[in-house]
């Protein structure tokens, strides 16, 4: 598209006038010229001086040599003056670029390196990872979503050989577009249709590497419903965060001074957790009770959340705990908030109902005790998380299929937990 100043200048050409374009940006961008100006008998000419220098004809090269000779003679004689030059020190490079972009700037802008003590501002590289262009990189399930961003990023960091394994291959338009874009940029791309659980598909993927050493494997053949990332303040990663984490993981692996493996924990964002707390949800996580997670747990609780330290368990004040078996007394800390409940069964139901409300982020008043858990829209992952919480809180093992059963309600499961506690089983 022609620059607005280009349009304005072309519109100013007088009748029988000539316009000589010595730039190339508008020509390369295939800009459109206003043809009505030619009604003034004007002439538009594009001219690139370097074409004379590189021309095959000696006649054209001689024209450039003779012209340069004439210009130098006129300059030495003082007949022509150089264009204004504005000089900036290397330490003022940012100001130089700002000045260069001013619309009323005239002349040339020069960056001076004469001052050897100048400090040049340098921004650290955003990503440090460099991929080997002679190695093949296997990407499983990376033909959609963040996988497309990852392959583009790897291409920009040097990777040139990609082998994708996906169940749908290039059937989706987005996958087809990705492969076309990578190949158009000079990459060698092979797509194998198949599932990673199929050993024949995996072998075909490895064979497609064409005897090149494999530089790495990205296993992304898993999709999570967005509700899993947003529960309890666990946040989804945006594209930039995702790439920076991948970059950090690879760089640490290359520069590690220790032997072994490590994990990078992502998505735990304490501010969102506190926001959910202000909405009335108890977003405490059973895993954070592990002493090894004490630092993360402290961040989740916040600087002023000392409620746990203020809990005073007074078993003697709770009627249904006075003669309870040891298995019930051992979980009294989690039941103390319901000390006004008329029975152990009611206390367990209240605690379990609140936890289920927090788990699916549904207001407590909408949780019906007699409604099957499956009717609340839970999936296998939520069921597994709920089952883990029951074990952590009560040391009672609920069958996984009971949670997903269309006949089991929250009230029935709570009765089962209470009955197990009364039996003294752990």
């Amino acid at each position: 598209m022609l620059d607005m100043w280009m349009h304005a200048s072309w519109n100013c050409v007088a009748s029988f006038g000539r316009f000589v374009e010595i730039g190339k940006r508008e020509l390369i961008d295939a800009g459109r010229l206003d043809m009505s100006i030619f009604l003034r008998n004007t002439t538009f000419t594009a001219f690139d001086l370097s074409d004379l220098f590189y021309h095959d004809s000696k006649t054209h090269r001689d024209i450039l040599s003779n012209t340069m000779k004439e210009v130098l003679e006129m300059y030495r004689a003082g007949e022509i003056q150089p264009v204004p030059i504005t000089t900036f020190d290397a330490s003022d490079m940012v100001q130089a670029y700002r000045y260069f972009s001013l619309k009323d700037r005239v002349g040339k802008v020069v960056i001076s390196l004469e001052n050897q003590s100048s400090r040049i501002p340098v921004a650290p590289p955003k990503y440090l990872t460099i991929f080997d262009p002679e190695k093949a990189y296997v990407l499983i399930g990376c033909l959609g979503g963040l996988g497309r961003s990852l392959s583009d990023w790897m291409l920009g960091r040097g990777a040139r050989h990609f082998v994708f394994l996906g169940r749908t291959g290039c059937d989706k338009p987005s996958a087809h577009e990705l492969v076309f874009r990578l190949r158009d940029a000079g990459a060698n791309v092979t797509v194998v249709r198949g599932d990673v659980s199929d050993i024949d598909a995996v072998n075909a993927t490895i064979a497609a590497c064409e005897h090149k050493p494999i530089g790495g494997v990205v296993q992304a053949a898993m999709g999570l419903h967005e509700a899993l990332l947003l529960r309890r303040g666990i946040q989804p990663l945006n594209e930039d965060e995702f790439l920076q984490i991948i970059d950090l993981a690879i760089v640490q692996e290359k520069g590690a001074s220790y032997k072994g493996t490590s994990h990078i924990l992502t998505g735990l964002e304490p501010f969102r957790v506190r926001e959910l707390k202000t909405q009335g949800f108890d977003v405490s996580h059973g895993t954070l009770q592990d002493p090894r997670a004490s630092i993360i747990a402290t961040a989740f609780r916040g600087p002023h959340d000392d409620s746990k330290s203020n809990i005073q368990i007074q078993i003697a004040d709770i009627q249904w705990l006075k003669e309870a078996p040891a298995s019930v007394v051992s979980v009294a800390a989690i039941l103390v908030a319901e000390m006004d409940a008329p029975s152990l069964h009611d206390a367990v139901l209240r605690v379990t109902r609140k936890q289920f409300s927090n788990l699916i982020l549904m207001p407590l008043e909408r949780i019906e005790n007699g409604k099957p858990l499956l009717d609340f829209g839970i999936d296998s992952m939520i069921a597994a998380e709920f089952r883990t919480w029951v074990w952590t809180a009560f040391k009672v093992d609920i069958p996984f299929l009971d949670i997903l059963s269309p006949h089991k309600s929250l009230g029935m499961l709570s009765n089962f937990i209470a009955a197990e506690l009364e039996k003294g089983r752990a």
Side-chain angles (χ1 to χ4, degrees), residues 351-419:
V351 172
T352 306
R353 185 164 172 258
K354 287 181 180 179
Q355 177 60 28
F356 188 71
S357 168
N358 298 325
L359 183 63
I360 64 175
L361 294 182
M362 180 178 290
L364 188 62
E365 59 271 15
R366 294 177 55 187
I367 305 296
E368 302 176 22
N369 298 337
K371 184 177 179 179
L373 270 64
L374 196 62
D375 290 351
F376 289 98
I378 67 172
D379 56 17
S380 58
M381 290 187 175
I382 298 179
E385 193 171 351
F386 183 58
R387 181 171 181 254
T388 300
W389 174 83
V390 171
W391 173 257
T392 303
F394 300 109
K395 295 299 183 288
V396 172
D397 188 12
I398 296 181
F400 184 75
L401 293 180
D402 281 0
I403 300 177
L404 291 176
S405 170
H407 308 294
K408 297 289 185 178
S409 66
L410 196 62
M412 296 172 65
L413 294 180
S414 298
N415 287 337
F416 174 79
I417 296 172

